[in-house]
Each structure stands twice: as C-alpha cells, then as structure tokens.
Amino acid sequence: MSDITGKQSLRFSEAPYIISSAAIVGKKEGEGPLGDYFDMVGEDDLFGCESWEEAESTLQKQAATLALGKADLKPQDLRYIFAGDLLGQTIATSFGLMDFNVPLFGLYGACSTAGESMSLGAMCVAAGYADKVLTVTSSHFASAEKQFRFPLEYGNQRPMSATWTVTGSGAYVVSSQKSHVRISGITTGRIVDYGIHDALNMGAAMAPAACDTIAAHFADFGDPMDSYDRIITGDLGYVGQRILIDLLKEKGMDISTIHSDCGIEIFDKDTQDTDAGGSGCGCSAVTLSAYFLPKLISGEWKKVLFLPTGALLSTVSFNEGKNVPGIAHAILLEHEA
Amino acid sequence: MSDITGKQSLRFSEAPYIISSAAIVGKKEGEGPLGDYFDMVGEDDLFGCESWEEAESTLQKQAATLALGKADLKPQDLRYIFAGDLLGQTIATSFGLMDFNVPLFGLYGACSTAGESMSLGAMCVAAGYADKVLTVTSSHFASAEKQFRFPLEYGNQRPMSATWTVTGSGAYVVSSQKSHVRISGITTGRIVDYGIHDALNMGAAMAPAACDTIAAHFADFGDPMDSYDRIITGDLGYVGQRILIDLLKEKGMDISTIHSDCGIEIFDKDTQDTDAGGSGCGCSAVTLSAYFLPKLISGEWKKVLFLPTGALLSTVSFNEGKNVPGIAHAILLEHEA
C-alpha cells in the first residue's frame, strides 16, 4: 500500500482528520474583519508577559491548550507535537510548548510552517504512528519586526508592498478519529528562487513558490480545478496574489475566481493601514481555523487546497546580498458528511 | 499494523536503511583524531565562499551531493529532503539545498537536528511515503560563534565548559532498499528544562534531555542494556557526559562502559584546545557517518542507540534571562547481515 501520488504528493489511503482547532490573536487582528471569528483576542499584545517573545510563547501555549480543550483531550493524549515559528532558533515554540511534556518535532518553514506542520502531522497519523498529534504555529508583529526589520521604537516607514505580521497562534489536533474535515492529501513544496531581493516585498518572493506547488498539486492529483471550492494561500497579500494569478495563467491555469489569501482576509487595508496584507506563520494558521475551517465543517465548501507560503531569509542572508527564495506546502482538505 | 512502541517510540515493522552517507568537515576537524575517516576535509573554512554562512551552505551542498553520488543517485531520485542547521531561519539549509529542487521539510532541533531529520526521514520511508529521502545537517564554527556568541575578531576567552562548534555537514540517504545498517526504531525527545542558565555550558543543559530520552527508549523497547554495543550522544562533551552518567545512575541505569559522545571523539582536547569537546548539528552528523557507521556496516557492532542532543536557546532568549532547555532524539541502528 503506497500513498504516493505523482512527484510531490501523497493521497492518504487512511486519511486523518482535523478534530479541533483554536485561533488566538492580538488586538489589531481582533479589530479586523475576522475579529468576531477568533476564539480569543488579546487586550494588549504583551499578553501579560514582559517581552514580545514571551508573549508569542504564551500565544502558542494558549492556542494549544484551547485546541486540546475543545477536543476534550489532555497533553498526555498527544503522541507528538509538530510546531514552529519565525524567530531565530524558534524560541516561541521551545518556550511555549515545553510544559506540555510531549515528544516534539521543531520545524522551520518560515510562514509556510502551518502547512509544513500539518503535512507532517497528517503523514504521521495516516501512517499509524500516532492516534493524535498537535500542530502549532505562531507569529507576533513586534517580535517579528525586531527579528527581521527594525525595533518598533524606530517608527520606520513601510513601503506599500510590505506586509504586516499577524500576532496570533493557531493550533490543530490531527487524529485518525473522524470529523467533518478530512486531510485527504498533501503536496510538499520545493524551494523556489525567483531572484527577488526586496525583503519588504515578501508577496513577490513567495508567489512563485505558491505557483510551483499549485501546479504540482494539480499535476499529481489530476482533479479538475472546478472540483475545488477554494485555493487558499497563506500570506501573499495583494502584491503576491496578482503575481500568483498571472504566473498560473502562463501555465494555462486560472484560479482568479476561487483564490483567497489569508493575508488579504485578516485585515482591512483601508482602515487598518496594513499595506499589502497580513503575513507570518500565525496568519494562515489563525485564518484557517477561525474563518475557513467552519465552512468546510458545515459543508458549505467541500474541497479546499490550503497552502501556507514562506519567504526563506534572515537578516544575515539579506544583508549578505542573498535573494529571498520561497516555499509553499499544500494540504488538501475535504468535507466529510 | 501499528509501529507504536511504548510512550515515545516507534519500532518499524518495515524498517528503513541507511544506504549511503557522507561527512565533510573543516580544517580543524581534519586535524583531529578522526581526520582520516572523513570523506573530505576543507583546506580552509571558507570553502571558497565569501561568508561563513555561504561556506556552511556549501558544506551542506557538498555533503548531500557526495551522499547521493555514493548511492549512485541523482537529486530527482529523492522524494523528500529533511534538513536543518543552527542559524537563525536555518539559512544554511535554504541556500545550500535549494538547487536540488526536491520537496523539503525544514527542521530546527538545535544540535539534535541530525536525530530529528533521521527520525522523520525514517518514519517517512517506513510508512511507504518515499523510497528514498535525504537527511542533511550542518554547523560551522565561525557562523555559529557569530550567531550565538561573539564575532571571532573579538578574541573572547572561553570557559572550560564551553564546547567548540564543529565545522561540518553530514548527509544520509535513507531508503527501503536493504543495506547493512537498519533504522529499527526511534525514540522522540521531549523538551527538558533543568534550569541551566549558562549558555557556555551546553553539556549541562543537554544531559538531562539525553537522560530523559534514553530512559524512555529502554522503557519503551524493553531490551536489556547489554544488548547494545554503544549508546552515542551527539555533543554533550566531557561536562555533559559526567552529568548524563550520574543522572542515569540515579535511575538505576549504568551506561558508563558503553557510552560514547561525538563531541568527545572528534577533537583531541589536549592538543586542539577545544575545552569540553565538539558541538553543533554537524558534530554528531559527521561523526556517525565517518567513524561509527562503518563499525555497524562491518558488523563489529550490532546495535547502537544514536541520540543527537540539542540546547534550545537563542541570543534573544538568553539575553532575556531564559533558561537553556534541551532535547534529544534517538535512533536505533542495527547491523543487518
């Protein structure tokens, strides 16, 4: 029995399910168009902590705790955690999840980590290695600005192509136990370098990777595009969305009518001054959980391709003149009656 | 069919194999006691590049290329790469491996990443998701000093408990195809925080995690300790080794006669001024490939527990007063005739 499908995909013969999820966000995200959908919205972005990094760890801890609670599970019911974040040495994860005392695989896929963690979690459950695993990702506007751009106190100006890192954490319990949302398969991304040099234009850096993974997905699975209700990218924003749609048109694929981007959904650019849209590991993780997953659970949507996108850079690589390559990991989600 | 064994382990019913591996190191490692065993030793630690980070990427690229070459494979024969390094946003991996154009899972487990990558790679092959995967990890003395401690130009003093980051990369091809070294199972580590605050005493920070994983391994597998030829930790060094042996004695387990540590093997502390020993993702990866694996291939050793150990910190977490927790991921390697 092999689940191998085409060059980059797996179609699970024993597909796992998302049995619960949670999304916790910061104040600004709570004020955005999806504000009412999130499980919890912080009063301020320190979440009672003394540093932005500690606040991000707390976000992960709370999202994980809530996802467990919704499924009526305890940490000891989990066999593995798959988790990551954007910070150097993924410290939000290490310090946020250590008290759960569960075997942990630390991941780094930049903002694609929500897709990477769910892919590996699903593979693990589908293989019979675990009955229940938890996948967790997070980002925090202030810790990310400090990590990648400038300390907030500088008050630097931002170009219109810049995205706004989402403060939030999404956690998912993936299990062999049935629910209304099945992870039917995955398409794992390759690193794609399109020669983008601008670290304030992540959308452009990630769109070619999203294009590559979407094209691979359709080649591997062979289902017609009109069988998909939605193709949802992580955080391309307005700039990246245009590029993705154009790149896929060159391949003869038109996703313009069924494409959504979590980074576009989460903020109102006209009133929230978020430029090209939201970004960060947390962006796709919280938006899927709070806004898109309910549509799959209810059956309003039957089939969705969810692909978080990541820009692979650090301040060191950027300052040494390196390009910003991208990667995107796709998850095929289907409604089950 | 379930491979689940005890609380933290898998014993693979369709065990995968290591069909080839490669170890490339820097000049100092080449001058150490294992110098003759490595596949390639760099003339200088820039490996023809303009920065330490680029040099580390080149190390990964070369180790991966060589491991493929030894197995007579091309990149397109690989289904997945599992890889990581110590740098912020794991840039050595992103820039080192992107030209292979293979679906990639980026990992961060600090110096335990060699164990983490081999665990996930083995799980993937054992589940039938891939016929061949590549696992790659690296570290570089100069990029790590810059990342975690001080620029080399400072010439700062080092306490005796400090370890010396190994410049090197190890790559492994894991496959369902038989060889003389089987990955019989894995024991996945949890994060263990022993309250260590000293970032220059990584051995002490990681030893409790190694103890936790070893204890879990024996509890899960239930095989007597004298059935193991060796228990090999990644980079505890002299300080961590003493602590590990003491901690396990408190649990009634004596590994003192069969314990080896890659960080202790790779340098001669008396002539190479490496204090407590070698460390880094690359340390365990190159030492297993070059020095220990041949003993398993020849059958001199029949059964080895290999567990790379990681210290989970960043300069940010350290400067914000956080402890240095540890994690260790174990791989059970057995000789097959």
Side-chain angles (χ1 to χ4, degrees), chain A residues 19-280:
Chain A
I19 61 166
S20 84
S21 71
I24 300 185
V25 297
K27 190 160 180 282
K28 189 182 183 87
E29 292 70 22
E31 291 164 355
L34 308 185
D36 289 344
Y37 296 96
F38 299 115
D39 295 297
M40 283 172 67
V41 177
E43 290 275 305
D44 79 78
D45 286 358
L46 271 172
F47 291 86
C49 301
E50 289 186 354
S51 71
W52 302 122
E53 293 76 20
E54 227 177 85
E56 192 177 338
S57 289
T58 298
L59 271 173
Q60 284 209 12
K61 192 182 294 188
Q62 289 193 308
T65 303
L66 189 54
L68 287 179
K70 286 188 187 185
D72 202 15
L73 297 173
K74 292 182 178 148
Q76 55 268 34
D77 298 322
L78 298 170
R79 204 161 167 92
Y80 299 105
I81 296 177
F82 294 86
D85 59 83
L86 296 177
L87 302 179
Q89 292 75 45
T90 63
I91 51 171
T93 298
S94 299
F95 292 96
L97 302 178
M98 72 178 160
D99 291 342
F100 289 93
N101 219 12
V102 172
L104 180 136
F105 290 108
L107 309 176
Y108 186 80
C111 305
S112 77
T113 309
E116 184 185 359
S117 58
M118 227 180 276
S119 296
L120 288 167
M123 289 162 82
C124 187
V125 172
Y129 296 150
D131 184 40
K132 291 178 189 73
V133 305
L134 183 72
T135 76
V136 192
T137 41
S138 68
S139 53
H140 191 296
F141 174 73
S143 65
E145 288 291 302
K146 182 166 135 188
Q147 174 77 85
F148 292 101
R149 295 167 178 167
F150 301 97
L152 296 185
E153 293 78 0
Y154 281 21
N156 66 300
Q157 289 208 323
R158 304 159 53 87
M160 293 302 286
S161 63
T163 47
W164 187 280
T165 306
V166 164
T167 298
S169 175
Y172 297 81
V173 179
V174 178
S175 171
S176 53
Q177 188 187 312
K178 288 207 174 184
S179 79
H180 290 301
V181 182
R182 189 172 70 233
I183 304 179
S184 302
I186 61 171
T187 302
T188 303
R190 306 178 290 189
I191 301 176
V192 177
D193 183 4
Y194 218 61
I196 303 293
H197 265 81
D198 184 356
L200 289 170
N201 191 350
M202 304 280 212
M206 298 185 291
C211 172
D212 190 69
T213 300
I214 291 171
H217 178 81
F218 281 96
D220 290 347
F221 279 79
D223 297 342
M225 187 162 303
D226 61 11
S227 71
Y228 290 72
D229 292 291
R230 281 277 134 186
I231 294 177
I232 302 169
T233 48
D235 55 353
L236 295 182
Y238 293 95
V239 176
Q241 181 183 48
R242 278 206 310 273
I243 298 172
L244 173 63
I245 288 172
D246 288 349
L247 287 173
L248 282 169
K249 276 195 181 143
E250 287 174 17
K251 290 180 185 284
M253 303 171 76
D254 183 3
I255 64 162
S256 59
T257 57
I258 57 165
H259 180 248
S260 294
D261 182 70
C262 299
I264 291 175
E265 301 291 337
I266 198 166
F267 292 125
D268 179 341
K269 74 170 170 155
D270 296 325
T271 63
Q272 293 194 290
D273 199 21
T274 46
D275 301 317
S279 64

Side-chain angles (χ1 to χ4, degrees), chain B residues 102-125:
Chain B
V102 171
L104 180 136
F105 290 108
L107 309 176
Y108 186 80
C111 306
S112 76
T113 308
E116 185 185 0
S117 59
M118 226 179 276
S119 296
L120 287 167
M123 289 163 82
C124 187
V125 172

Side-chain angles (χ1 to χ4, degrees), chain A residues 1-4 10 129, chain B residues 123-131:
Chain A
M1 173 212 79
S2 164
D3 294 347
I4 293 175
L10 297 173
Y129 296 150
Chain B
M123 289 163 82
C124 187
V125 172
Y129 296 150
D131 183 40

Side-chain angles (χ1 to χ4, degrees), chain B residues 172-289:
Chain B
Y172 297 81
V173 179
V174 178
S175 171
S176 53
Q177 187 186 313
K178 288 208 173 185
S179 79
H180 290 301
V181 181
R182 189 171 70 233
I183 304 179
S184 302
I186 61 171
T187 302
T188 303
R190 306 179 289 188
I191 301 177
V192 177
D193 182 4
Y194 218 60
I196 302 295
H197 265 80
D198 185 355
L200 290 170
N201 192 350
M202 304 279 213
M206 299 185 292
C211 170
D212 190 68
T213 300
I214 292 170
H217 178 81
F218 281 96
D220 290 347
F221 279 79
D223 297 342
M225 186 162 301
D226 61 12
S227 71
Y228 290 72
D229 291 291
R230 280 277 134 185
I231 294 176
I232 302 170
T233 48
D235 54 354
L236 296 182
Y238 293 96
V239 175
Q241 181 183 49
R242 276 207 310 274
I243 298 171
L244 173 63
I245 288 170
D246 287 349
L247 287 173
L248 282 168
K249 276 195 181 144
E250 287 174 17
K251 290 180 186 283
M253 303 170 75
D254 183 2
I255 63 162
S256 59
T257 57
I258 57 165
H259 180 249
S260 294
D261 182 70
C262 300
I264 291 176
E265 300 291 337
I266 198 167
F267 293 125
D268 179 341
K269 72 169 171 155
D270 296 326
T271 63
Q272 293 194 288
D273 199 20
T274 46
D275 302 314
S279 64
C281 282
C283 178
S284 55
V286 301
T287 306
L288 176 68
S289 173

Side-chain angles (χ1 to χ4, degrees), chain B:
Chain B
M1 172 213 79
S2 164
D3 294 348
I4 293 175
T5 302
K7 278 195 171 171
Q8 288 177 235
S9 304
L10 298 173
R11 189 195 287 268
F12 297 121
S13 47
E14 308 264 351
Y17 295 83
I18 296 175
I19 61 167
S20 85
S21 71
I24 300 186
V25 297
K27 188 159 183 281
K28 190 181 182 88
E29 292 71 21
E31 291 164 356
L34 309 185
D36 290 342
Y37 296 96
F38 298 116
D39 294 298
M40 282 172 65
V41 177
E43 289 275 307
D44 79 77
D45 285 357
L46 271 172
F47 291 86
C49 301
E50 289 187 353
S51 71
W52 302 123
E53 292 77 19
E54 228 177 84
E56 191 177 338
S57 288
T58 299
L59 271 172
Q60 284 208 14
K61 192 182 295 188
Q62 290 194 308
T65 303
L66 188 54
L68 288 179
K70 286 189 187 184
D72 202 16
L73 297 174
K74 291 178 179 154
Q76 55 266 38
D77 298 322
L78 297 171
R79 200 158 169 94
Y80 299 105
I81 297 177
F82 294 87
D85 58 84
L86 296 178
L87 302 180
Q89 291 74 45
T90 62
I91 51 171
T93 297
S94 299
F95 292 96
L97 302 178
M98 71 178 160
D99 292 342
F100 288 93
N101 218 13
V102 171
L104 180 136
F105 290 108
L107 309 176
Y108 186 80
C111 306
S112 76
T113 308
E116 185 185 0
S117 59
M118 226 179 276
S119 296
L120 287 167
M123 289 163 82
C124 187
V125 172
Y129 296 150
D131 183 40
K132 291 178 188 73
V133 305
L134 183 72
T135 76
V136 192
T137 41
S138 68
S139 53
H140 190 296
F141 175 72
S143 66
E145 288 291 302
K146 182 167 136 188
Q147 172 77 85
F148 292 101
R149 294 166 178 168
F150 301 97
L152 296 185
E153 293 78 359
Y154 281 20
N156 66 301
Q157 289 210 326
R158 304 159 53 86
M160 294 301 287
S161 63
T163 48
W164 187 281
T165 305
V166 164
T167 298
S169 175
Y172 297 81
V173 179
V174 178
S175 171
S176 53
Q177 187 186 313
K178 288 208 173 185
S179 79
H180 290 301
V181 181
R182 189 171 70 233
I183 304 179
S184 302
I186 61 171
T187 302
T188 303
R190 306 179 289 188
I191 301 177
V192 177
D193 182 4
Y194 218 60
I196 302 295
H197 265 80
D198 185 355
L200 290 170
N201 192 350
M202 304 279 213
M206 299 185 292
C211 170
D212 190 68
T213 300
I214 292 170
H217 178 81
F218 281 96
D220 290 347
F221 279 79
D223 297 342
M225 186 162 301
D226 61 12
S227 71
Y228 290 72
D229 291 291
R230 280 277 134 185
I231 294 176
I232 302 170
T233 48
D235 54 354
L236 296 182
Y238 293 96
V239 175
Q241 181 183 49
R242 276 207 310 274
I243 298 171
L244 173 63
I245 288 170
D246 287 349
L247 287 173
L248 282 168
K249 276 195 181 144
E250 287 174 17
K251 290 180 186 283
M253 303 170 75
D254 183 2
I255 63 162
S256 59
T257 57
I258 57 165
H259 180 249
S260 294
D261 182 70
C262 300
I264 291 176
E265 300 291 337
I266 198 167
F267 293 125
D268 179 341
K269 72 169 171 155
D270 296 326
T271 63
Q272 293 194 288
D273 199 20
T274 46
D275 302 314
S279 64
C281 282
C283 178
S284 55
V286 301
T287 306
L288 176 68
S289 173
Y291 186 56
F292 292 123
L293 213 51
K295 297 179 196 291
L296 273 157
I297 292 171
S298 71
E300 179 186 338
W301 288 348
K302 301 283 188 261
K303 186 173 177 181
V304 161
L305 189 68
F306 171 66
L307 72 155
T309 38
L312 300 167
L313 82 161
S314 77
T315 47
V316 174
S317 73
F318 180 70
N319 288 332
E320 288 179 351
K322 294 286 188 190
N323 293 343
V324 183
I327 193 163
H329 297 297
I331 317 289
L332 179 60
L333 298 170
E334 290 187 273
H335 171 75
E336 180 145 323

